[in-house]
PDB file of all heavy atoms in Angstrom:
ATOM      1  N   GLY A  95      26.672 -41.481  11.153  1.00  0.00           N
ATOM      2  CA  GLY A  95      27.213 -42.817  11.351  1.00  0.00           C
ATOM      3  C   GLY A  95      26.874 -43.470  12.679  1.00  0.00           C
ATOM      4  O   GLY A  95      27.331 -44.589  12.945  1.00  0.00           O
ATOM      5  N   ALA A  96      26.075 -42.812  13.517  1.00  0.00           N
ATOM      6  CA  ALA A  96      25.777 -43.363  14.842  1.00  0.00           C
ATOM      7  C   ALA A  96      24.307 -43.733  14.966  1.00  0.00           C
ATOM      8  O   ALA A  96      23.442 -42.985  14.518  1.00  0.00           O
ATOM      9  CB  ALA A  96      26.135 -42.355  15.932  1.00  0.00           C
ATOM     10  N   PRO A  97      24.003 -44.877  15.583  1.00  0.00           N
ATOM     11  CA  PRO A  97      22.608 -45.172  15.919  1.00  0.00           C
ATOM     12  C   PRO A  97      22.139 -44.248  17.041  1.00  0.00           C
ATOM     13  O   PRO A  97      22.949 -43.747  17.824  1.00  0.00           O
ATOM     14  CB  PRO A  97      22.648 -46.630  16.377  1.00  0.00           C
ATOM     15  CG  PRO A  97      24.052 -46.862  16.829  1.00  0.00           C
ATOM     16  CD  PRO A  97      24.912 -45.957  15.985  1.00  0.00           C
ATOM     17  N   ILE A  98      20.825 -44.020  17.130  1.00  0.00           N
ATOM     18  CA  ILE A  98      20.281 -43.115  18.136  1.00  0.00           C
ATOM     19  C   ILE A  98      19.120 -43.764  18.868  1.00  0.00           C
ATOM     20  O   ILE A  98      18.230 -44.360  18.253  1.00  0.00           O
ATOM     21  CB  ILE A  98      19.848 -41.773  17.498  1.00  0.00           C
ATOM     22  CG1 ILE A  98      19.238 -40.846  18.560  1.00  0.00           C
ATOM     23  CG2 ILE A  98      18.907 -41.984  16.324  1.00  0.00           C
ATOM     24  CD1 ILE A  98      18.948 -39.443  18.054  1.00  0.00           C
ATOM     25  N   TRP A  99      19.140 -43.662  20.189  1.00  0.00           N
ATOM     26  CA  TRP A  99      18.045 -44.133  21.033  1.00  0.00           C
ATOM     27  C   TRP A  99      17.400 -42.920  21.683  1.00  0.00           C
ATOM     28  O   TRP A  99      18.080 -41.975  22.088  1.00  0.00           O
ATOM     29  CB  TRP A  99      18.539 -45.069  22.129  1.00  0.00           C
ATOM     30  CG  TRP A  99      19.045 -46.392  21.645  1.00  0.00           C
ATOM     31  CD1 TRP A  99      19.232 -46.802  20.365  1.00  0.00           C
ATOM     32  CD2 TRP A  99      19.466 -47.481  22.482  1.00  0.00           C
ATOM     33  NE1 TRP A  99      19.744 -48.079  20.334  1.00  0.00           N
ATOM     34  CE2 TRP A  99      19.899 -48.521  21.620  1.00  0.00           C
ATOM     35  CE3 TRP A  99      19.540 -47.678  23.861  1.00  0.00           C
ATOM     36  CZ2 TRP A  99      20.372 -49.743  22.110  1.00  0.00           C
ATOM     37  CZ3 TRP A  99      20.012 -48.883  24.338  1.00  0.00           C
ATOM     38  CH2 TRP A  99      20.416 -49.907  23.472  1.00  0.00           C
ATOM     39  N   MET A 100      16.095 -42.961  21.798  1.00  0.00           N
ATOM     40  CA  MET A 100      15.353 -41.912  22.473  1.00  0.00           C
ATOM     41  C   MET A 100      15.212 -42.280  23.953  1.00  0.00           C
ATOM     42  O   MET A 100      14.669 -43.333  24.278  1.00  0.00           O
ATOM     43  CB  MET A 100      13.968 -41.743  21.844  1.00  0.00           C
ATOM     44  CG  MET A 100      13.114 -40.669  22.498  1.00  0.00           C
ATOM     45  SD  MET A 100      11.394 -40.647  21.867  1.00  0.00           S
ATOM     46  CE  MET A 100      11.664 -40.052  20.190  1.00  0.00           C
ATOM     47  N   GLN A 101      15.704 -41.402  24.829  1.00  0.00           N
ATOM     48  CA  GLN A 101      15.476 -41.623  26.256  1.00  0.00           C
ATOM     49  C   GLN A 101      14.077 -41.139  26.595  1.00  0.00           C
ATOM     50  O   GLN A 101      13.745 -39.977  26.373  1.00  0.00           O
ATOM     51  CB  GLN A 101      16.497 -40.881  27.116  1.00  0.00           C
ATOM     52  CG  GLN A 101      16.346 -41.196  28.604  1.00  0.00           C
ATOM     53  CD  GLN A 101      17.198 -40.320  29.495  1.00  0.00           C
ATOM     54  OE1 GLN A 101      16.903 -39.134  29.663  1.00  0.00           O
ATOM     55  NE2 GLN A 101      18.248 -40.881  30.063  1.00  0.00           N
ATOM     56  N   ILE A 102      13.242 -42.025  27.137  1.00  0.00           N
ATOM     57  CA  ILE A 102      11.856 -41.676  27.429  1.00  0.00           C
ATOM     58  C   ILE A 102      11.656 -41.639  28.940  1.00  0.00           C
ATOM     59  O   ILE A 102      12.176 -42.478  29.676  1.00  0.00           O
ATOM     60  CB  ILE A 102      10.869 -42.629  26.729  1.00  0.00           C
ATOM     61  CG1 ILE A 102      11.152 -44.097  27.074  1.00  0.00           C
ATOM     62  CG2 ILE A 102      10.961 -42.436  25.226  1.00  0.00           C
ATOM     63  CD1 ILE A 102      10.178 -45.071  26.411  1.00  0.00           C
ATOM     64  N   ASN A 103      10.861 -40.662  29.383  1.00  0.00           N
ATOM     65  CA  ASN A 103      10.866 -40.350  30.812  1.00  0.00           C
ATOM     66  C   ASN A 103       9.565 -39.685  31.242  1.00  0.00           C
ATOM     67  O   ASN A 103       8.836 -39.107  30.429  1.00  0.00           O
ATOM     68  CB  ASN A 103      12.046 -39.404  31.107  1.00  0.00           C
ATOM     69  CG  ASN A 103      12.331 -39.226  32.585  1.00  0.00           C
ATOM     70  OD1 ASN A 103      11.830 -39.965  33.426  1.00  0.00           O
ATOM     71  ND2 ASN A 103      13.141 -38.242  32.919  1.00  0.00           N
ATOM     72  N   HIS A 104       9.289 -39.798  32.526  1.00  0.00           N
ATOM     73  CA  HIS A 104       8.227 -39.039  33.190  1.00  0.00           C
ATOM     74  C   HIS A 104       8.857 -38.466  34.454  1.00  0.00           C
ATOM     75  O   HIS A 104       9.490 -39.202  35.220  1.00  0.00           O
ATOM     76  CB  HIS A 104       7.046 -39.943  33.544  1.00  0.00           C
ATOM     77  CG  HIS A 104       5.834 -39.202  34.029  1.00  0.00           C
ATOM     78  ND1 HIS A 104       5.835 -38.444  35.202  1.00  0.00           N
ATOM     79  CD2 HIS A 104       4.579 -39.101  33.522  1.00  0.00           C
ATOM     80  CE1 HIS A 104       4.636 -37.917  35.377  1.00  0.00           C
ATOM     81  NE2 HIS A 104       3.854 -38.293  34.371  1.00  0.00           N
ATOM     82  N   PRO A 105       8.726 -37.165  34.719  1.00  0.00           N
ATOM     83  CA  PRO A 105       9.441 -36.577  35.848  1.00  0.00           C
ATOM     84  C   PRO A 105       8.847 -36.905  37.209  1.00  0.00           C
ATOM     85  O   PRO A 105       9.539 -36.818  38.222  1.00  0.00           O
ATOM     86  CB  PRO A 105       9.332 -35.072  35.574  1.00  0.00           C
ATOM     87  CG  PRO A 105       8.039 -34.928  34.830  1.00  0.00           C
ATOM     88  CD  PRO A 105       7.953 -36.159  33.966  1.00  0.00           C
ATOM     89  N   GLY A 106       7.559 -37.272  37.254  1.00  0.00           N
ATOM     90  CA  GLY A 106       6.939 -37.471  38.557  1.00  0.00           C
ATOM     91  C   GLY A 106       7.036 -36.213  39.396  1.00  0.00           C
ATOM     92  O   GLY A 106       6.795 -35.101  38.920  1.00  0.00           O
ATOM     93  N   ARG A 107       7.436 -36.373  40.649  1.00  0.00           N
ATOM     94  CA  ARG A 107       7.516 -35.215  41.545  1.00  0.00           C
ATOM     95  C   ARG A 107       8.647 -34.263  41.169  1.00  0.00           C
ATOM     96  O   ARG A 107       8.746 -33.165  41.694  1.00  0.00           O
ATOM     97  CB  ARG A 107       7.697 -35.680  42.989  1.00  0.00           C
ATOM     98  CG  ARG A 107       9.018 -36.391  43.275  1.00  0.00           C
ATOM     99  CD  ARG A 107       9.129 -36.759  44.734  1.00  0.00           C
ATOM    100  NE  ARG A 107      10.448 -37.313  45.054  1.00  0.00           N
ATOM    101  CZ  ARG A 107      10.867 -37.561  46.297  1.00  0.00           C
ATOM    102  NH1 ARG A 107      10.069 -37.328  47.324  1.00  0.00           N
ATOM    103  NH2 ARG A 107      12.073 -38.063  46.507  1.00  0.00           N
ATOM    104  N   GLN A 108       9.519 -34.702  40.255  1.00  0.00           N
ATOM    105  CA  GLN A 108      10.657 -33.895  39.832  1.00  0.00           C
ATOM    106  C   GLN A 108      10.303 -33.056  38.596  1.00  0.00           C
ATOM    107  O   GLN A 108      11.153 -32.778  37.760  1.00  0.00           O
ATOM    108  CB  GLN A 108      11.839 -34.807  39.528  1.00  0.00           C
ATOM    109  CG  GLN A 108      13.172 -34.266  39.989  1.00  0.00           C
ATOM    110  CD  GLN A 108      14.227 -35.334  40.153  1.00  0.00           C
ATOM    111  OE1 GLN A 108      14.553 -35.727  41.264  1.00  0.00           O
ATOM    112  NE2 GLN A 108      14.778 -35.810  39.060  1.00  0.00           N
ATOM    113  N   SER A 109       9.047 -32.667  38.491  1.00  0.00           N
ATOM    114  CA  SER A 109       8.616 -31.857  37.357  1.00  0.00           C
ATOM    115  C   SER A 109       9.098 -30.420  37.530  1.00  0.00           C
ATOM    116  O   SER A 109       9.520 -30.009  38.617  1.00  0.00           O
ATOM    117  CB  SER A 109       7.090 -31.891  37.215  1.00  0.00           C
ATOM    118  OG  SER A 109       6.479 -31.280  38.334  1.00  0.00           O
ATOM    119  N   ASP A 110       9.028 -29.679  36.445  1.00  0.00           N
ATOM    120  CA  ASP A 110       9.481 -28.289  36.430  1.00  0.00           C
ATOM    121  C   ASP A 110       8.826 -27.507  37.573  1.00  0.00           C
ATOM    122  O   ASP A 110       7.604 -27.335  37.600  1.00  0.00           O
ATOM    123  CB  ASP A 110       9.104 -27.668  35.087  1.00  0.00           C
ATOM    124  CG  ASP A 110       9.539 -26.214  34.960  1.00  0.00           C
ATOM    125  OD1 ASP A 110      10.234 -25.708  35.869  1.00  0.00           O
ATOM    126  OD2 ASP A 110       9.171 -25.588  33.948  1.00  0.00           O
ATOM    127  N   PRO A 111       9.618 -27.016  38.536  1.00  0.00           N
ATOM    128  CA  PRO A 111       9.023 -26.303  39.665  1.00  0.00           C
ATOM    129  C   PRO A 111       8.374 -24.987  39.274  1.00  0.00           C
ATOM    130  O   PRO A 111       7.600 -24.418  40.046  1.00  0.00           O
ATOM    131  CB  PRO A 111      10.213 -26.074  40.596  1.00  0.00           C
ATOM    132  CG  PRO A 111      11.409 -26.097  39.716  1.00  0.00           C
ATOM    133  CD  PRO A 111      11.081 -27.096  38.644  1.00  0.00           C
ATOM    134  N   PHE A 112       8.678 -24.513  38.072  1.00  0.00           N
ATOM    135  CA  PHE A 112       8.098 -23.262  37.606  1.00  0.00           C
ATOM    136  C   PHE A 112       6.874 -23.497  36.721  1.00  0.00           C
ATOM    137  O   PHE A 112       6.270 -22.560  36.232  1.00  0.00           O
ATOM    138  CB  PHE A 112       9.145 -22.442  36.854  1.00  0.00           C
ATOM    139  CG  PHE A 112      10.361 -22.152  37.681  1.00  0.00           C
ATOM    140  CD1 PHE A 112      11.507 -22.906  37.519  1.00  0.00           C
ATOM    141  CD2 PHE A 112      10.345 -21.158  38.643  1.00  0.00           C
ATOM    142  CE1 PHE A 112      12.637 -22.653  38.297  1.00  0.00           C
ATOM    143  CE2 PHE A 112      11.465 -20.911  39.421  1.00  0.00           C
ATOM    144  CZ  PHE A 112      12.607 -21.657  39.255  1.00  0.00           C
ATOM    145  N   GLY A 113       6.526 -24.774  36.512  1.00  0.00           N
ATOM    146  CA  GLY A 113       5.346 -25.095  35.733  1.00  0.00           C
ATOM    147  C   GLY A 113       4.070 -24.899  36.535  1.00  0.00           C
ATOM    148  O   GLY A 113       4.087 -24.769  37.760  1.00  0.00           O
ATOM    149  N   ARG A 114       2.948 -24.910  35.844  1.00  0.00           N
ATOM    150  CA  ARG A 114       1.663 -24.652  36.494  1.00  0.00           C
ATOM    151  C   ARG A 114       0.933 -25.932  36.877  1.00  0.00           C
ATOM    152  O   ARG A 114      -0.079 -25.884  37.579  1.00  0.00           O
ATOM    153  CB  ARG A 114       0.774 -23.819  35.567  1.00  0.00           C
ATOM    154  CG  ARG A 114       1.344 -22.420  35.286  1.00  0.00           C
ATOM    155  CD  ARG A 114       0.406 -21.625  34.396  1.00  0.00           C
ATOM    156  NE  ARG A 114       0.931 -20.277  34.151  1.00  0.00           N
ATOM    157  CZ  ARG A 114       0.315 -19.364  33.415  1.00  0.00           C
ATOM    158  NH1 ARG A 114      -0.849 -19.654  32.847  1.00  0.00           N
ATOM    159  NH2 ARG A 114       0.854 -18.172  33.243  1.00  0.00           N
ATOM    160  N   THR A 115       1.424 -27.076  36.413  1.00  0.00           N
ATOM    161  CA  THR A 115       0.751 -28.339  36.682  1.00  0.00           C
ATOM    162  C   THR A 115       1.223 -28.932  37.998  1.00  0.00           C
ATOM    163  O   THR A 115       2.419 -28.927  38.306  1.00  0.00           O
ATOM    164  CB  THR A 115       1.019 -29.341  35.544  1.00  0.00           C
ATOM    165  OG1 THR A 115       0.631 -28.752  34.306  1.00  0.00           O
ATOM    166  CG2 THR A 115       0.252 -30.625  35.762  1.00  0.00           C
ATOM    167  N   THR A 116       0.302 -29.466  38.779  1.00  0.00           N
ATOM    168  CA  THR A 116       0.677 -30.147  40.013  1.00  0.00           C
ATOM    169  C   THR A 116       1.398 -31.443  39.671  1.00  0.00           C
ATOM    170  O   THR A 116       0.893 -32.246  38.878  1.00  0.00           O
ATOM    171  CB  THR A 116      -0.573 -30.477  40.856  1.00  0.00           C
ATOM    172  OG1 THR A 116      -1.245 -29.272  41.183  1.00  0.00           O
ATOM    173  CG2 THR A 116      -0.187 -31.216  42.135  1.00  0.00           C
ATOM    174  N   PRO A 117       2.580 -31.669  40.213  1.00  0.00           N
ATOM    175  CA  PRO A 117       3.293 -32.911  39.917  1.00  0.00           C
ATOM    176  C   PRO A 117       2.577 -34.125  40.502  1.00  0.00           C
ATOM    177  O   PRO A 117       1.786 -33.996  41.444  1.00  0.00           O
ATOM    178  CB  PRO A 117       4.667 -32.700  40.568  1.00  0.00           C
ATOM    179  CG  PRO A 117       4.447 -31.663  41.606  1.00  0.00           C
ATOM    180  CD  PRO A 117       3.350 -30.792  41.121  1.00  0.00           C
ATOM    181  N   VAL A 118       2.858 -35.276  39.938  1.00  0.00           N
ATOM    182  CA  VAL A 118       2.292 -36.531  40.430  1.00  0.00           C
ATOM    183  C   VAL A 118       3.434 -37.456  40.811  1.00  0.00           C
ATOM    184  O   VAL A 118       4.558 -37.317  40.330  1.00  0.00           O
ATOM    185  CB  VAL A 118       1.391 -37.198  39.375  1.00  0.00           C
ATOM    186  CG1 VAL A 118       0.166 -36.343  39.102  1.00  0.00           C
ATOM    187  CG2 VAL A 118       2.164 -37.463  38.083  1.00  0.00           C
ATOM    188  N   ALA A 119       3.148 -38.419  41.681  1.00  0.00           N
ATOM    189  CA  ALA A 119       4.188 -39.309  42.180  1.00  0.00           C
ATOM    190  C   ALA A 119       3.535 -40.553  42.781  1.00  0.00           C
ATOM    191  O   ALA A 119       2.315 -40.597  42.962  1.00  0.00           O
ATOM    192  CB  ALA A 119       5.030 -38.583  43.233  1.00  0.00           C
ATOM    193  N   PRO A 120       4.327 -41.561  43.120  1.00  0.00           N
ATOM    194  CA  PRO A 120       3.756 -42.743  43.775  1.00  0.00           C
ATOM    195  C   PRO A 120       3.036 -42.397  45.074  1.00  0.00           C
ATOM    196  O   PRO A 120       1.989 -42.956  45.391  1.00  0.00           O
ATOM    197  CB  PRO A 120       4.981 -43.624  44.038  1.00  0.00           C
ATOM    198  CG  PRO A 120       6.009 -43.164  43.076  1.00  0.00           C
ATOM    199  CD  PRO A 120       5.772 -41.709  42.883  1.00  0.00           C
ATOM    200  N   SER A 121       3.619 -41.451  45.826  1.00  0.00           N
ATOM    201  CA  SER A 121       3.064 -41.012  47.099  1.00  0.00           C
ATOM    202  C   SER A 121       3.217 -39.500  47.206  1.00  0.00           C
ATOM    203  O   SER A 121       4.094 -38.919  46.554  1.00  0.00           O
ATOM    204  CB  SER A 121       3.785 -41.700  48.266  1.00  0.00           C
ATOM    205  OG  SER A 121       3.690 -43.120  48.159  1.00  0.00           O
ATOM    206  N   PRO A 122       2.415 -38.845  48.026  1.00  0.00           N
ATOM    207  CA  PRO A 122       2.481 -37.379  48.142  1.00  0.00           C
ATOM    208  C   PRO A 122       3.648 -36.914  49.012  1.00  0.00           C
ATOM    209  O   PRO A 122       3.462 -36.283  50.050  1.00  0.00           O
ATOM    210  CB  PRO A 122       1.130 -37.024  48.757  1.00  0.00           C
ATOM    211  CG  PRO A 122       0.772 -38.212  49.575  1.00  0.00           C
ATOM    212  CD  PRO A 122       1.292 -39.404  48.819  1.00  0.00           C
ATOM    213  N   VAL A 123       4.870 -37.220  48.563  1.00  0.00           N
ATOM    214  CA  VAL A 123       6.084 -36.882  49.297  1.00  0.00           C
ATOM    215  C   VAL A 123       6.898 -35.925  48.432  1.00  0.00           C
ATOM    216  O   VAL A 123       7.327 -36.283  47.330  1.00  0.00           O
ATOM    217  CB  VAL A 123       6.919 -38.134  49.622  1.00  0.00           C
ATOM    218  CG1 VAL A 123       8.176 -37.751  50.397  1.00  0.00           C
ATOM    219  CG2 VAL A 123       6.095 -39.155  50.392  1.00  0.00           C
ATOM    220  N   ALA A 124       7.127 -34.724  48.923  1.00  0.00           N
ATOM    221  CA  ALA A 124       7.857 -33.729  48.145  1.00  0.00           C
ATOM    222  C   ALA A 124       9.360 -33.960  48.207  1.00  0.00           C
ATOM    223  O   ALA A 124       9.883 -34.563  49.160  1.00  0.00           O
ATOM    224  CB  ALA A 124       7.535 -32.328  48.670  1.00  0.00           C
ATOM    225  N   LEU A 125      10.048 -33.504  47.207  1.00  0.00           N
ATOM    226  CA  LEU A 125      11.509 -33.487  47.229  1.00  0.00           C
ATOM    227  C   LEU A 125      11.996 -32.602  48.370  1.00  0.00           C
ATOM    228  O   LEU A 125      11.395 -31.567  48.666  1.00  0.00           O
ATOM    229  CB  LEU A 125      12.059 -32.920  45.923  1.00  0.00           C
ATOM    230  CG  LEU A 125      12.035 -33.783  44.668  1.00  0.00           C
ATOM    231  CD1 LEU A 125      12.280 -32.910  43.458  1.00  0.00           C
ATOM    232  CD2 LEU A 125      13.072 -34.880  44.765  1.00  0.00           C
ATOM    233  N   SER A 126      13.102 -32.988  48.970  1.00  0.00           N
ATOM    234  CA  SER A 126      13.687 -32.158  50.021  1.00  0.00           C
ATOM    235  C   SER A 126      14.716 -31.211  49.421  1.00  0.00           C
ATOM    236  O   SER A 126      15.862 -31.145  49.848  1.00  0.00           O
ATOM    237  CB  SER A 126      14.341 -33.038  51.090  1.00  0.00           C
ATOM    238  OG  SER A 126      15.345 -33.848  50.512  1.00  0.00           O
TER     239      SER A 126
END
Side-chain angles (χ1 to χ4, degrees):
I98 178 173
W99 292 7
M100 180 188 291
Q101 185 189 72
I102 55 179
N103 192 13
H104 189 297
R107 66 178 186 171
Q108 220 159 256
S109 65
D110 180 6
F112 303 100
R114 296 182 179 180
T115 305
T116 300
V118 294
S121 302
V123 180
L125 285 165
S126 59

